[in-house]
């Protein structure tokens, strides 16, 4: 079902599929916050952070909207992902909380996410041709497609597919702001149940595999993308590499990482918030999954720290 700008405004919760990234963890923000406080108090001091320090961080992150959303959901939706990745161009410095400043400007994974977004746009731009059909799954605000330059083509179609009707509405609004709404089609659907065959010349997908721990489910996701692409079609996707954990190989470039900032990131995202995007895979495993799904000619494009690589794969 294609959604118009009018129907998007009234489409709510019509699907029962599970939202991996940002389902609410509790009925209210205060309840979600109290769960974190109780966890910290019951657990006690960590080797690198006292209970008092942890509780202070919970209080700090409660003081700005991005932090509140992370407490409530443990993940990011399309709006907040777009907020983070566009920060370098927006330069939101005046009046923001110091902890939000850290998240946007120092957190290694957030920096890698911003660089990943630049890679996506640069790579996708190269594949825009006359009559191209491009898709973003999950689309979120759809900045990966809507921020591109289409001045050299007369005809093209942009497809935003997402399980979250709020994200579709935000993407439709952004398309209108960009003057591209007449080229856009929106579909509310689970990425694992696309049911589309040979529809797109290029499919862009960020933010699903990092929430899905099942390797077989990720391969099935890539199979859905492979089926939805035309012969010769291109998949642009991404993955998180394993962080430095004792006894585990990490692909991070440590000379490009502020380790003090990385420790605060671990404390916030792992120990306190238990963020949902904690699924890591090596380059070798991701390539193997894509090959199993039918893709070939796989290329990897790294951010500076090798934390959030971009992948380009082809359907032969």
């Amino acid at each position: 079902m294609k959604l118009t700008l009018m129907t998007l405004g009234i489409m709510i919760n019509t699907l029962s599929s599970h939202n991996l990234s940002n389902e609410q963890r509790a009925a209210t923000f205060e309840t979600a916050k109290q769960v974190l406080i109780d966890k910290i108090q019951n657990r006690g001091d960590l080797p690198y952070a006292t209970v008092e320090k942890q509780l202070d961080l919970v209080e700090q992150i409660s003081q700005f909207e991005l932090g509140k959303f992370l407490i409530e959901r443990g993940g990011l939706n399309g709006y907040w992902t777009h907020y983070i990745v566009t920060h370098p161009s927006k330069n939101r410095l005046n009046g923001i909380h110091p902890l939000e400043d850290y998240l946007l400007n120092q957190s290694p994974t957030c920096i890698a996410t911003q660089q990943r977004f630049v890679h996506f746009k640069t790579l996708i731009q190269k594949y825009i041709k006359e009559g191209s059909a491009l898709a973003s799954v999950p689309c979120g605000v759809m900045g990966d497609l809507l921020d591109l330059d289409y001045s050299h083509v007369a005809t093209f179609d942009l497809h935003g597919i997402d399980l979250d009707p709020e994200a579709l509405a935000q993407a439709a609004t952004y398309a209108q702001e960009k003057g591209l709404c007449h080229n856009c089609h929106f579909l509310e659907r689970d990425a694992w149940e696309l049911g589309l065959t040979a529809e797109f010349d290029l499919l862009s997908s960020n933010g699903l595999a990092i929430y899905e721990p099942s390797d077989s489910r990720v391969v099935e996701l890539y199979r859905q993308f492979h089926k939805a692409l035309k012969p010769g079609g291109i998949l642009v996707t991404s993955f998180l590499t394993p962080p430095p954990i004792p006894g585990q190989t990490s692909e991070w470039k440590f000379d490009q990482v502020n380790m003090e900032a990385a420790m605060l990131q671990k404390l916030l995202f792992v120990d306190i918030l238990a963020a949902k995007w904690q699924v890591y895979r090596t380059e070798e495993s991701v390539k193997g999954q894509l090959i199993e799904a039918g893709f070939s000619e796989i290329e990897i494009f790294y951010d500076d720290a090798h934390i959030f690589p971009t992948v380009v794969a082809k359907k032969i």
Side-chain angles (χ1 to χ4, degrees):
M1 175 181 59
K2 290 184 178 180
L3 303 182
T4 67
L5 290 172
M6 290 180 64
T7 60
L8 279 168
I10 59 173
M11 180 73 76
I12 55 172
N13 298 330
T14 58
L15 297 180
S16 59
S17 299
H18 176 53
N19 189 321
L20 287 174
S21 63
N22 62 92
E23 277 192 341
Q24 285 190 286
R25 288 176 155 176
T28 67
F29 165 74
E30 291 301 331
T31 302
K33 180 180 177 181
Q34 190 60 49
V35 168
L36 296 184
I37 292 171
D38 291 344
K39 177 181 72 172
I40 291 167
Q41 291 176 331
N42 292 332
R43 179 177 59 198
D45 291 345
L46 295 171
Y48 39 84
T50 63
V51 166
E52 289 72 22
K53 180 177 181 179
Q54 296 173 68
L55 293 177
D56 177 63
L57 285 171
V58 171
E59 196 54 44
Q60 287 190 56
I61 205 168
S62 303
Q63 295 173 17
F64 53 96
E65 292 304 313
L66 171 57
K68 290 179 180 178
F69 192 89
L70 287 168
I71 288 174
E72 287 183 329
R73 310 293 182 97
L76 298 170
N77 64 0
Y79 172 84
W80 287 114
T81 299
H82 191 70
Y83 180 86
I84 290 171
V85 298
T86 58
H87 170 69
S89 62
K90 302 293 185 181
N91 195 25
R92 304 177 186 91
L93 294 177
N94 295 326
I96 68 172
H97 190 279
L99 192 58
E100 183 174 13
D101 181 89
Y102 155 79
L103 291 176
L104 295 174
N105 296 298
Q106 299 179 54
S107 165
T109 297
C110 288
I111 292 172
T113 300
Q114 293 162 354
Q115 293 178 2
R116 189 278 314 157
F117 183 59
V118 172
H119 282 153
F120 263 51
K121 292 194 297 180
T122 301
L123 290 164
I124 295 168
Q125 184 70 57
K126 296 177 181 179
Y127 291 98
I128 297 174
K129 299 177 181 179
E130 191 65 42
S132 291
L134 313 178
S136 180
V137 187
C139 66
V141 177
M142 212 161 92
D144 53 348
L145 300 185
L146 294 174
D147 286 348
L148 302 181
D149 178 13
Y150 298 94
S151 61
H152 61 295
V153 291
T155 59
F156 59 95
D157 287 303
L158 308 179
H159 300 259
I161 303 173
D162 206 298
L163 184 61
D164 182 358
E166 185 177 14
L168 292 170
Q170 291 165 349
T173 298
Y174 196 47
Q176 199 166 32
E177 292 173 7
K178 291 285 187 174
L180 294 171
C181 58
H182 296 297
N183 300 94
C184 290
H185 312 270
F186 298 99
L187 180 66
E188 182 182 348
R189 188 167 295 177
D190 190 320
W192 276 268
E193 299 176 4
L194 285 181
L196 301 173
T197 302
E199 292 278 344
F200 310 123
D201 297 290
L202 181 145
L203 191 152
S204 168
S205 180
N206 173 67
L208 284 177
I210 64 174
Y211 289 97
E212 177 51 68
S214 168
D215 288 334
S216 62
R217 284 260 300 162
V218 170
V219 172
E220 179 54 34
L221 177 68
Y222 292 153
R223 286 195 180 110
Q224 288 287 321
F225 293 163
H226 187 273
K227 184 179 179 182
L229 285 166
K230 299 175 183 177
I234 298 296
L235 172 66
V236 181
T237 189
S238 57
F239 63 100
L240 283 173
T241 60
I245 298 173
Q248 187 175 41
T249 301
S250 176
E251 297 173 359
W252 286 22
K253 298 283 286 185
F254 297 111
D255 60 343
Q256 297 294 319
V257 178
N258 180 323
M259 294 310 295
E260 183 177 348
M263 279 302 301
L264 178 54
Q265 174 178 283
K266 178 187 182 304
L267 180 57
L268 274 172
F269 292 150
V270 179
D271 299 312
I272 295 176
L273 293 170
K276 297 176 182 177
W277 64 79
Q278 302 294 330
V279 181
Y280 308 102
R281 293 182 170 92
T282 64
E283 175 185 330
E284 181 181 6
S285 67
V286 171
K287 285 182 175 179
Q289 291 171 337
L290 287 165
I291 290 169
E292 186 177 348
F295 287 99
S296 61
E297 298 184 23
I298 300 166
E299 295 183 86
I300 308 292
F301 299 85
Y302 284 101
D303 56 280
D304 292 343
H306 287 209
I307 291 174
F308 209 162
T310 295
V311 187
V312 174
K314 187 173 184 178
K315 174 180 179 177
I316 300 299

